Amino acid sequence: MEDDALIAQAQAWLAEDPDPDTREELARLIDAHDLPELTARFSGTLQFGTAGLRGELGAGPLRMNRSVVIRAAAGLAAYLKKQGTPHGDDTAGLVVIGYDARHKSAAFAEDTAAVMTGAGLRAAVLPRPLPTPVLAFAIRHLGAVAGVEVTASHNPPRDNGYKVYLGDGSQIVPPADAEIAAEIEAITSLTTVPRPTTGWETLDDTVLDAYLARTDAVLSPASPRTARTVYTAMHGVGRDVLLAAFARAGFPAPDLVTEQADPDPDFPTVAFPNPEEPGAMDLAFAKARETDPDLVIANDPDADRCAAAVKDGGDWRMLRGDEVGALLAAHLVRRGATGTFAESIVSSSLLGRIAEKAGLPYEETLTGFKWIARVDGLRYGYEEALGYCVDPDGVRDKDGITAALLLTELASELKSDNRTLLDLLDDLAVEHGLHATDQLSVRVQDLDLIAAAMRRLREQPPTELAGLRITKAEDLNEGTAALPPTDGLRYTLDGARVVVRPSGTEPKLKCYLEVVVPVATKQALPKARTKATSLLTTIKRDLSAAAGI
């Protein structure tokens, strides 16, 4: 872009910007003639896709800000009106809006409500920052035609995002994302978007009370409720809702990681507010060493994910998402659950083994709960990134609150038999084989590095990894009989599986690894684990070399 054109574009954006914070920021950049920074903000637009919008806060079309949100809301409103929004006996479709406690989330939610009202729709905003699953529940509970959650989930503090659900309570999938994106693109000026200052509803706690009442359906009526927990909200919005759910269920009140209990958009105690990131659980482990609970539970900042840690020997360790996924599945099977068990293609194949043994339907989907939630007859769905849907009739999305309830119920039942979650994992390994998983995840500053790695793997595909022959190589760009096309590669090896894909929400290349080692007896488990660890380490090394990362 020519310098003069760049400055003119920035000045035009500045003239319409409704936010004094980003106006001041952009004016400073223009006055300083900071062309590199202006180019970084004006060389395109933040793309609306199946993850909605997510990006760094700041001025300009490549950042998250009120101008971008108003355009997104106007595009969504136009899409909904073209679909025909009346629902039931209502004269206008209802859009429910939730938000987390990140910087600007409340303002983005209010802007969305104003745009929906100005477009002739009805808007209702949740009463305060609440977990994303409460919003997903509210859509179905209130009979809304759509919902918006303002959140960047577990992204760094500088980010925010905009997640869109339709009336079934599930996140958008193609072609709706492209159709909404086209409507957003058609918004040429904010002056064309009516934004009244009143006219929408701010909900009271009735919808939250209904969500909490629905959690009764997650647990067995007569199950023991004795497991003691340590809980961290990771500076997010999960604490009050989780404590209320635990109290309602009759579990002992969790011991809180007080340093991370209050919502704080700066996330001061963690580098990344994601329980999977190194160091994020250190304070929770320290609390567990003090109180010696049965289980450590963590939510991510918008509480749609649930992490768990257990005492293993003399100290605490995180359970992998695949381990929690298998534990919850086994618990539901033992309780007599019926319906389809589903997971994404990057999650452990152990779920399929559990479902097959129980005579239950099983499906694999593309990555993301937008796909898992749409599986016909879904009873339970999970993916390895700490997401679990244990009550699809209530919340058609991952839900870190109800997952925590169900896992604590399982820990209580095992405790009553003087057993632990690790004992049950051993049983599953002996019954189905040891399914060991790991991840090679590379965070980049330059997204071209991810494209280059994918191109290299496609042009020079490996023929073996860790000495295991690749028996089947699939380019998921071409789709399969069961899956629509997506940017990814899947390798099937003798006793192992690898999936490589760019992250949809972060600047990361993600490689998901699994090895399966047969186990004859519980006594053979240590040797099997040593073998699995060695294989995963070598696969990771060989794959890194093949991808050039």
Side-chain angles (χ1 to χ4, degrees):
M1 190 182 300
E2 294 293 332
D3 293 355
D4 290 347
L6 177 62
I7 295 294
Q9 185 181 352
Q11 288 171 332
W13 185 275
L14 177 64
E16 289 191 344
D17 191 339
D19 188 335
D21 293 336
T22 46
R23 277 206 311 272
E24 180 184 346
E25 175 188 324
L26 185 53
R28 190 166 59 246
L29 294 174
I30 293 171
D31 290 344
H33 211 69
D34 190 339
L35 298 179
E37 190 61 35
L38 289 170
T39 299
R41 294 157 184 263
F42 285 90
S43 58
T45 58
L46 210 55
Q47 292 301 298
F48 185 93
T50 52
L53 293 168
R54 197 176 291 188
E56 185 176 345
L57 289 163
L62 274 171
R63 297 288 185 268
M64 282 296 298
N65 51 65
R66 290 183 60 196
S67 296
V68 165
V69 164
I70 290 166
R71 284 177 165 82
L76 174 60
Y79 167 83
L80 292 172
K81 293 178 78 171
K82 285 186 177 179
Q83 301 303 304
T85 57
H87 195 79
D89 296 328
D90 297 334
T91 56
L94 171 66
V95 179
V96 189
I97 302 151
Y99 58 103
D100 66 12
R102 284 178 177 266
H103 293 295
K104 298 292 182 181
S105 286
F108 293 170
E110 184 172 315
D111 281 331
T112 301
V115 170
M116 295 301 163
T117 303
L121 300 168
R122 292 188 301 128
V125 183
L126 293 183
R128 58 186 171 280
L130 287 168
T132 292
V134 176
L135 181 277
F137 168 83
I139 295 165
R140 291 162 65 88
H141 179 68
L142 297 175
V145 297
V148 170
E149 177 70 16
V150 180
T151 181
S153 188
H154 55 274
N155 274 39
R158 64 179 180 272
D159 290 358
N160 213 328
Y162 199 80
K163 185 182 291 189
V164 176
Y165 298 76
L166 294 182
D168 61 356
S170 299
Q171 298 174 48
I172 56 169
V173 295
D177 57 341
E179 293 170 5
I180 296 169
E183 297 291 350
I184 295 171
E185 186 70 23
I187 308 297
T188 56
S189 170
L190 295 190
T191 60
T192 66
V193 181
R195 285 185 292 131
T197 56
T198 60
W200 59 88
E201 178 184 2
T202 299
L203 297 168
D204 59 21
D205 277 350
T206 304
V207 70
L208 175 60
D209 293 342
Y211 169 83
L212 290 169
R214 175 69 204 182
T215 64
D216 295 348
V218 173
L219 304 176
S220 295
S223 63
R225 312 281 168 92
T226 58
R228 294 175 49 251
T229 56
V230 159
Y231 172 71
T232 175
M234 206 66 69
H235 299 296
V237 298
R239 177 194 60 196
D240 292 348
V241 178
L242 182 130
L243 290 180
F246 270 54
R248 182 184 181 92
F251 288 115
D255 287 312
L256 298 180
V257 179
T258 54
E259 301 95 327
Q260 298 175 332
D262 294 329
D264 188 331
D266 293 320
F267 305 105
T269 68
V270 291
F272 292 95
N274 178 354
E276 294 178 294
E277 292 283 345
M281 294 290 287
D282 286 355
L283 290 171
F285 292 162
K287 187 72 173 180
R289 293 182 194 110
E290 290 175 19
T291 60
D292 196 30
D294 300 297
L295 185 65
V296 174
I297 291 170
N299 286 138
D300 68 337
D302 69 326
D304 63 350
R305 299 169 196 251
C306 176
V310 295
K311 199 167 189 180
D312 189 0
D315 208 355
W316 291 81
R317 78 164 176 92
M318 276 275 288
L319 293 174
R320 301 191 69 85
D322 285 317
E323 291 177 309
V324 175
L327 287 168
L328 293 176
H331 184 44
L332 289 170
V333 165
R334 195 196 62 76
R335 280 179 25 179
T338 59
T340 301
F341 281 26
E343 64 180 340
S344 62
I345 57 171
V346 300
S347 304
S348 171
S349 59
L350 178 55
L351 183 68
R353 303 269 184 106
I354 293 171
E356 182 182 19
K357 181 78 177 288
L360 294 173
Y362 164 77
E363 280 196 34
E364 271 190 329
T365 75
L366 294 183
T367 307
F369 265 84
K370 58 185 174 284
W371 301 108
I372 294 171
R374 285 181 161 75
V375 168
D376 288 341
L378 181 68
R379 175 58 186 87
Y380 169 65
Y382 98 92
E383 64 180 3
E384 56 76 43
L386 310 181
Y388 314 95
C389 176
V390 302
D391 178 29
D393 289 341
V395 176
R396 287 219 159 239
D397 198 6
K398 54 186 177 291
D399 183 346
I401 306 296
T402 52
L405 286 171
L406 191 63
L407 192 62
T408 307
E409 178 186 65
L410 173 57
S412 299
E413 290 190 355
L414 291 166
K415 183 179 180 179
S416 68
D417 295 329
N418 293 313
R419 283 163 50 79
T420 68
L421 296 174
L422 292 180
D423 292 324
L424 180 52
L425 285 172
D426 287 350
D427 292 346
L428 293 173
V430 173
E431 185 175 3
H432 302 289
L434 175 65
H435 289 63
T437 59
D438 201 355
Q439 189 178 131
L440 172 62
S441 181
V442 181
R443 185 182 293 271
V444 300
Q445 294 293 326
D446 182 0
L447 291 176
D448 288 342
L449 295 176
I450 294 177
M454 295 297 291
R455 185 167 58 250
R456 177 168 171 159
L457 288 172
R458 286 187 167 106
E459 293 173 354
Q460 305 171 49
T463 57
E464 67 173 34
L465 297 168
L468 302 176
R469 186 171 61 89
I470 293 177
T471 58
K472 186 178 182 182
E474 299 169 276
D475 188 340
L476 300 177
N477 253 342
E478 300 167 4
T480 71
L483 300 169
T486 188
D487 187 9
L489 299 163
R490 179 164 61 179
Y491 304 115
T492 303
L493 300 86
D494 290 325
R497 183 217 63 197
V498 173
V499 178
V500 183
R501 59 178 284 272
S503 170
T505 57
E506 299 177 89
K508 285 183 176 181
L509 180 68
K510 291 188 170 184
C511 309
Y512 305 84
L513 323 175
E514 179 179 44
V515 299
V516 182
V517 180
V519 183
T521 65
K522 189 168 286 191
Q523 289 69 37
L525 272 169
K527 186 176 180 180
R529 288 199 173 97
T530 299
K531 179 180 179 180
T533 300
S534 175
L535 280 172
L536 287 169
T537 300
T538 311
I539 289 173
K540 194 183 294 189
R541 181 199 68 200
D542 292 353
L543 183 62
S544 181
I549 54 176

